[in-house]
Amino acid sequence: MKYGLNIHQEGALDFVSLGALVHRLDPGIVPFRKATECRIHVSGGEFNCAANLSDCFGMKTGIATAMVDYPIGDLVAERVRAMGVTPFYRKFKHNGVSGPNMATVYSDRGQGVRPPVVFYNRANEAAAHLKPGDFDWKTIFAGGVRWFHSGGIFAALSETTGDVIIEGMKAAKAAGAVVSFDLNYRAKLWSIWGGEERAMSVIGRIVEHVDCIVGNEEDLQKGLGIPGPKVAAKSKLDPSTFFGMIDRVVKKFPQVKIVATTLREVHSTNRHSWGAVAWIDGKTYVSPTGELDVYDRVGGGDGFASGLIYGLLSGEPEQEAVNLGWAHGALLTTFPGDTTMATLEQVRAFARGGSARIQR
């Protein structure tokens, strides 16, 4: 039993995630108030992990999610196919006027001293209408599944999505899968229907079924109600404050075997110091620190989670799994959009300490 987990060696699907698909409008470095054009990226924290694991790491992945029968839905579904992810859709019919809709995320890239600005239009979002019973988990997992994943953004969408997550986790556990959850606390989303107190209640019920948590100190405090450290960190890259909270996490949720997160010191929008840490079955692991020239920071955390999960599913040594997550997350910040354009060879090379010398 490696990492304190019983990871199946085979399955029709290596990884299945549950969450909302969105499309992100990106005007680049131009603020929206002055924008004249945008790129469209298909995203969603849970989808990003499935897409990354498929496209970069060659794993068999799927996503359970909502899909709307209208042109934006077609655009999103095309990108799901392109990334090699098997979809399990609960389909909704658009009424031609008000939805249901595939959510829109608006996010410019910022530049230099000006940070990125993110806001949403999640009005009448199809994924928020998902409820227990919408997915046939027995059929989805019939051929075997090794890892199941969801996250706090999906949990925050409505009063029913947390229950869908718990239903999926129970079914995945019954099928023998490892279960992970990215806390991804978003105050704007939770403020619509209950705030921090409701978030702790919903996320706490979810994490009772989780083996692996991804989340930083703020996520642990606001999502799980874990008290923060009494001594402030020396820097954003100091892992001591994160590791100082782990005992409280494990005391509250003793079945958890892995807690991991990225560490990021933001010098400017385009210059970050980047690290990652993990507590795995009682031992701590810290990545190298990288100095990143950031093109687009969105998706870096999902990039880390994807690489870490790949390392664990592949049976890599713990330190190597953390380094693969760190390297993939770093590379993801060099691409436009929210999902990977990296190759496994590039990830392994950077994890070993590779440079940006031209490859001939």
Side-chain angles (χ1 to χ4, degrees):
M1 184 179 285
K2 201 167 186 179
Y3 323 119
L5 302 172
N6 181 20
I7 302 177
H8 286 191
Q9 294 305 302
E10 295 183 357
L13 290 164
D14 295 306
F15 177 93
V16 173
S17 61
L18 166 66
L21 284 164
V22 306
H23 61 296
R24 178 166 73 93
L25 301 186
D26 169 17
I29 65 171
V30 181
F32 265 98
R33 63 186 293 268
K34 294 292 184 179
T36 58
E37 59 185 9
C38 296
R39 299 186 69 171
I40 304 174
H41 308 298
V42 171
S43 185
E46 299 81 13
F47 167 69
N48 294 345
C49 290
N52 295 341
L53 282 164
S54 169
D55 189 76
C56 175
F57 296 102
M59 307 209 98
K60 299 168 290 186
T61 71
I63 183 165
T65 187
M67 177 53 63
V68 182
D69 181 16
Y70 75 140
I72 299 298
D74 296 340
L75 179 154
V76 171
E78 187 279 330
R79 180 51 41 183
V80 174
R81 290 193 298 273
M83 296 302 283
V85 178
T86 300
F88 302 98
Y89 290 140
R90 161 66 167 93
K91 293 190 175 180
F92 294 82
K93 183 76 175 175
H94 196 273
N95 66 14
V97 180
S98 59
N101 301 302
M102 303 299 290
T104 308
V105 179
Y106 304 84
S107 175
D108 67 37
R109 285 209 312 267
Q111 176 70 19
V113 298
R114 175 169 53 86
V117 175
V118 181
F119 56 101
Y120 310 93
N121 182 357
R122 305 195 86 129
N124 200 7
E125 180 179 0
H129 295 296
L130 291 172
K131 60 187 186 304
D134 278 344
F135 297 105
D136 183 350
W137 297 112
K138 195 169 185 179
T139 299
I140 292 171
F141 298 149
V145 60
R146 302 175 65 202
W147 196 288
F148 182 80
H149 178 73
S150 194
I153 293 177
F154 181 57
L157 294 187
S158 73
E159 298 192 25
T160 59
T161 51
D163 291 329
V164 180
I165 293 172
I166 292 170
E167 178 190 63
M169 287 179 170
K170 287 180 176 179
K173 284 280 190 183
V178 174
V179 171
S180 61
F181 188 75
D182 190 331
L183 295 173
N184 257 337
Y185 182 83
R186 296 291 186 270
K188 287 179 184 176
L189 297 178
W190 286 106
S191 68
I192 301 299
W193 64 283
E196 197 172 312
E197 187 175 334
R198 190 63 180 271
M200 285 190 284
S201 172
V202 173
I203 294 174
R205 287 194 300 116
I206 291 169
V207 173
E208 290 174 5
H209 306 279
V210 169
D211 304 300
C212 173
I213 296 173
V214 179
N216 60 26
E217 295 101 315
E218 182 183 18
D219 293 328
L220 294 173
Q221 290 178 58
K222 295 187 176 180
L224 289 179
I226 303 297
K230 295 180 180 178
V231 179
K234 296 174 184 175
S235 79
K236 297 284 188 182
L237 298 171
D238 179 5
S240 61
T241 55
F242 178 76
F243 289 141
M245 299 175 73
I246 299 301
D247 286 345
R248 301 185 193 104
V249 174
V250 177
K251 184 176 181 180
K252 190 170 183 179
F253 302 101
Q255 85 288 350
V256 169
K257 299 300 180 185
I258 299 173
V259 188
T261 192
T262 57
L263 302 174
R264 193 191 305 243
E265 184 86 64
V266 177
H267 306 292
S268 77
T269 290
N270 313 102
R271 188 70 175 171
H272 297 181
S273 299
W274 172 262
V277 295
W279 176 92
I280 302 176
D281 197 25
K283 295 183 180 180
T284 58
Y285 302 89
V286 181
S287 78
T289 298
E291 299 301 322
L292 306 185
D293 295 303
V294 175
Y295 180 82
D296 184 345
R297 69 171 284 166
V298 178
D302 299 326
F304 164 70
S306 309
L308 174 68
I309 291 168
Y310 167 76
L312 299 171
L313 283 171
S314 301
E316 298 279 0
E318 290 87 344
Q319 186 65 57
E320 180 65 13
V322 172
N323 289 1
L324 286 169
W326 166 81
H328 184 249
L331 286 168
L332 212 141
T333 69
T334 70
F335 307 123
D338 305 35
T339 53
T340 193
M341 296 183 184
T343 66
L344 179 54
E345 292 74 21
Q346 289 171 330
V347 175
R348 288 197 179 279
F350 190 76
R352 290 193 300 266
S355 73
R357 287 176 59 87
I358 190 169
Q359 296 180 6
R360 298 186 187 276

